[in-house]
Amino acid sequence: MTYSRITGTGGYLPEKILTNHDLEKIVETSDAWIRERTGIGQRHVVGPEETTCDLAEKAARGALEMSGRSAEEIDLIIVATTTPDQVFPSTACLLQQRLGIHNGCPAFDVQAVCTGFVYALGVADQFIRAGSARRALVVGAESISRILDWTDRGTCVLFGDGAGAVVLEASDTPGILATHLHADGRYESLLNVPAGVGKGYPAVMAGEAYLQMKGNEVFKWAVNTLGQIVQQTLEQAGVDQTQLDWLIPHQANIRIIQGIARKVKLPMERVVVTVEQHGNTSAASVPLALDTAVRDGRIRPGQLLLLEAFGGGFTWGSALVRF
Ligand code: COA
């Protein structure tokens, strides 16, 4: 039986930092309000010339280095992003070009907004289990700051840019134990960017496409849905929360994360939290949190991890992982 296993992680945050105090100069808000309602203290944002693929490349190189693999050994590239550099080619193809991978391996993007990385990990796991790939590069990367309305204090304070990546390899011993992926398209109106190439939409151009959200409705949905999926994932795997070493949640809001931890009776000491420094980096948030805790030594080989995320669509998903 072939399984897939994470053999390297990487992460990258753009150099430019926007603190809550910086935002006080842009919209009517305060450091105290943002910290109390969201737990966010700062976020990183791309520079004028920086793109999602730039961030993805740096995170991918970090994951390759940790795994001890060279780029040419990769035989599948999946990039989860909501903010691709261009309509096409996909960011995954652009990344393949940047990394100098000329072996003809498949490369494609996955679009599931903040759940994108969990979706991409689930897809890569299926490729490896089916024998269609042996070494996948799975990336979550976003320049979400480019699709924010910087006059809307209800959304612009929440998000940040970044990228996270893993190398996922075929293995005789299980690494990815289970993935659960879900969507419900009825909730489009609660969280969306109504721009694109469709009739009647403004073009996809930075400065014209804005993220819109009914924050408190999304909040309730996220806490309930994620609480349920964490519970279901553990039950279906026959694992109880005391066996879990780390919960690695989507980093949208500290109150959502605390709400889920309470629901599943997991102490916050076993939850990886990066929202204070990163804000919500959409598809990059889970792999960035994973990489942060791997590199600071909290996550160690053999530990049991539960990754979960929720995002526009709505989409939501989880991955139970033996690291
Ligand atoms: N600074 C100061 N005041 C703000 C503000 C800001 N940045 N943003 C909103 N407010 C104001 C609102 O205008 C409102 O004022 P009013 O009562 O005078 O109308 C008040 O704060 C309360 O707004 P509300 O939206 O009810 O606040 P909230 O407690 O729900 O917090 C969010 C707002 C956005 C922080 C919260 O709803 C949230 O985190 N939602 C989930 C968002 C998310 O994570 N989405 C991504 C999922 S992938």
Side-chain angles (χ1 to χ4, degrees), residues 68-218:
R69 294 291 176 191
S70 65
E72 306 83 73
E73 290 180 277
I74 293 299
D75 60 7
L76 171 68
I77 302 171
I78 310 181
V79 176
T81 188
T82 312
T83 46
D85 289 20
Q86 44 196 76
V87 172
F88 74 82
S90 68
T91 308
C93 285
L94 300 178
L95 180 63
Q96 186 187 39
Q97 183 192 130
R98 292 276 189 95
L99 294 173
I101 300 175
H102 306 304
N103 58 12
C105 75
F108 57 89
D109 288 1
V110 160
Q111 217 296 37
V113 201
C114 301
T115 319
F117 178 79
V118 175
Y119 264 59
L121 195 67
V123 173
D125 175 55
Q126 297 293 335
F127 264 76
I128 289 174
R129 280 171 187 268
S132 307
R134 291 197 61 81
R135 289 183 202 106
L137 184 58
V138 185
V139 185
E142 302 279 17
S143 329
I144 210 95
S145 64
R146 292 246 163 79
I147 53 165
L148 293 178
D149 176 354
W150 289 97
T151 64
D152 175 15
R153 65 179 182 174
T155 53
C156 76
V157 303
L158 303 174
F159 295 90
D161 302 333
V166 301
V167 173
L168 194 68
E169 297 198 38
S171 159
D172 296 335
T173 51
I176 307 287
L177 303 173
T179 56
H180 297 266
L181 308 178
H182 298 282
D184 191 334
R186 284 176 297 178
Y187 298 93
E188 178 201 351
S189 63
L190 298 185
L191 179 53
N192 59 42
V193 178
V197 291
K199 206 172 156 205
Y201 284 140
V204 188
M205 283 174 66
E208 284 189 28
Y210 295 133
L211 184 148
Q212 302 177 351
M213 178 171 65
K214 298 203 170 75
N216 41 23
E217 289 181 57
V218 174

Side-chain angles (χ1 to χ4, degrees), residues 23 27-30 33-34 37-38 113-115 152-159 191 211 213-220 222 250-256 280 282 309-312 314-315:
L23 289 176
V27 286
E28 203 183 321
T29 190
S30 67
W33 191 96
I34 301 172
R37 302 290 179 107
T38 72
V113 201
C114 301
T115 319
D152 175 15
R153 65 179 182 174
T155 53
C156 76
V157 303
L158 303 174
F159 295 90
L191 179 53
L211 184 148
M213 178 171 65
K214 298 203 170 75
N216 41 23
E217 289 181 57
V218 174
F219 186 96
K220 283 181 233 148
H250 173 45
Q251 309 286 321
N253 182 316
I254 191 66
R255 292 187 297 137
I256 296 180
N280 179 351
S282 185
F310 178 89
F314 287 149
T315 55

